Amino acid sequence: MTCWYEGPLAAFDTETTGVDVEGDRIVSAALVVQEAPGSRFRSTKWLVNPGVPVPAGATEIHGLTDEHLQRNGRWPSPVMEEMARALAEQCAAGRPLVIMNAPFDLTLLDRELRRHRASSLGRYLEAGPLNVLDPRVLDKHLDRYRKGRRTLTDLCAHYGVELAGAHDAVADATASLELVRAVGRRFATRLERLSPAELHTLQAVWHAAQARGLQAWFARNGSDEAVDPAWPLRPEVRAQAA
C-alpha cells in the first residue's frame, strides 16, 4: 500500500496584505496538485484586487503592487468562491491538503468568504473530510529539539527542498508539497502507518501543545502576545456585546 507521502497531494498558499487574519486580505493564491512524486504539477493561480491599499512592507515581500493588482486582479467575491470550491474538490477527491502554517491561510480564506460571500469555509468543505498536512507542525513535533527558525525557507534548506521564487504563491505551494514528502520520508518509521485523517487529528493536538509552549516562552520573556492554539482553522471572532 502506498504511503500518504508517496501518493496524491494538493497544496494551497496565499499572499496577503499583512499578517492579521481578521483584517488583512488575500492578494494572490495558488493550488498545486501532484499525483505522485516526480509527476507533473498542475497549478491554479488567482490574482485578487483586494479593494484596499497594499502596504509597502507587504509589496516588498511578494512584489505585488496596488497598480498591478488593480490592473490584473479580479474582484474578491468570485475569486474566494473559486478558491473554496477548489479546496472542496480536493477534499472530496480524497487528496490531503498541504498548507504551511495552515491556521493563517485557512483562517484568512474563511474571513474573506464571510466578508465577501456571507458564508464560511466550513460550508464549502461539508462534502468531504478536510485532511491537512502542515509541514511546520509536523517538523516541530518530529524534530522538536532542533534549534533555529522554521519558516518555509528554513525548512526547505534543512530538508534539501528547492524553493525557487519564495513568496510567489505557486512556488511556495509547490515547495510545501515537496517539503511534506521529504518530512514523511525522513520520519517514515513514525509516520508511514498513520493515515492523513489520523495525522490531521494528531496535528491539532501537537499544534495546541506547541502553542502552549510558545505562550509560556512569551510570558517568561515579559510579552503579553497571545498564541492561538486552534488548528487548522481559527474560530470566528464574535463581537463583544456592549
Side-chain angles (χ1 to χ4, degrees):
M1 183 175 178
T2 302
C3 297
W4 58 264
Y5 51 84
E6 302 292 358
L9 295 174
F12 180 67
D13 184 74
T14 66
E15 300 300 329
T16 69
T17 59
V19 297
D20 177 9
V21 296
E22 302 298 337
D24 278 308
R25 311 298 175 89
I26 295 173
V27 296
S28 177
L31 179 68
V32 174
V33 179
Q34 188 185 42
E35 298 301 333
S39 66
R40 182 176 64 89
F41 292 100
R42 305 194 308 274
S43 62
T44 303
K45 185 173 183 178
W46 296 272
L47 196 64
V48 186
N49 179 354
V52 300
V54 180
T59 296
E60 288 178 5
I61 293 173
H62 51 56
L64 298 171
T65 64
D66 281 326
E67 181 181 5
H68 179 77
L69 293 170
Q70 290 167 11
R71 183 186 305 118
N72 301 288
R74 298 164 57 203
W75 288 113
S77 180
V79 181
M80 300 309 152
E81 168 95 2
E82 289 177 14
M83 289 182 198
R85 289 192 180 278
L87 296 188
E89 288 174 4
Q90 298 306 314
C91 294
R95 292 190 188 90
L97 196 59
V98 178
I99 309 176
M100 174 73 182
N101 193 15
F104 180 78
D105 295 86
L106 290 183
T107 304
L108 264 168
L109 178 55
D110 176 78
R111 303 312 191 255
E112 289 278 49
L113 288 166
R114 295 175 187 274
R115 185 178 296 121
H116 298 290
R117 304 293 303 186
S119 187
S120 69
L121 183 57
R123 292 181 185 175
Y124 288 89
L125 300 179
E126 290 173 348
L130 175 66
N131 291 322
V132 174
L133 299 169
D134 187 333
R136 186 171 181 271
V137 174
L138 290 170
D139 172 75
K140 198 169 184 179
H141 177 78
L142 295 164
D143 198 0
R144 68 183 69 183
Y145 299 113
R146 189 180 81 249
K147 296 186 182 300
R149 303 190 331 149
R150 299 178 194 251
T151 66
L152 179 60
T153 300
D154 296 317
L155 292 182
C156 284
H158 180 72
Y159 286 93
V161 172
E162 181 181 2
L163 174 55
H167 300 298
D168 170 83
V170 172
D172 286 358
T174 302
S176 296
L177 192 154
E178 295 279 35
L179 178 58
V180 157
R181 294 199 192 281
V183 172
R185 293 182 188 118
R186 181 167 300 187
F187 296 98
T189 57
R190 299 168 65 181
L191 297 176
E192 62 185 356
R193 295 184 181 180
L194 295 171
S195 69
E198 290 170 327
L199 265 177
H200 181 97
T201 301
L202 286 170
Q203 285 170 101
V205 176
W206 297 343
H207 179 271
Q210 292 163 9
R212 289 193 297 270
L214 183 57
Q215 189 76 75
W217 185 87
F218 282 146
R220 288 195 301 272
N221 286 273
S223 172
D224 59 358
E225 183 175 347
V227 183
D228 197 318
W231 182 97
L233 176 66
R234 297 177 187 174
E236 182 185 9
V237 176
R238 297 189 180 276
Q240 298 294 323

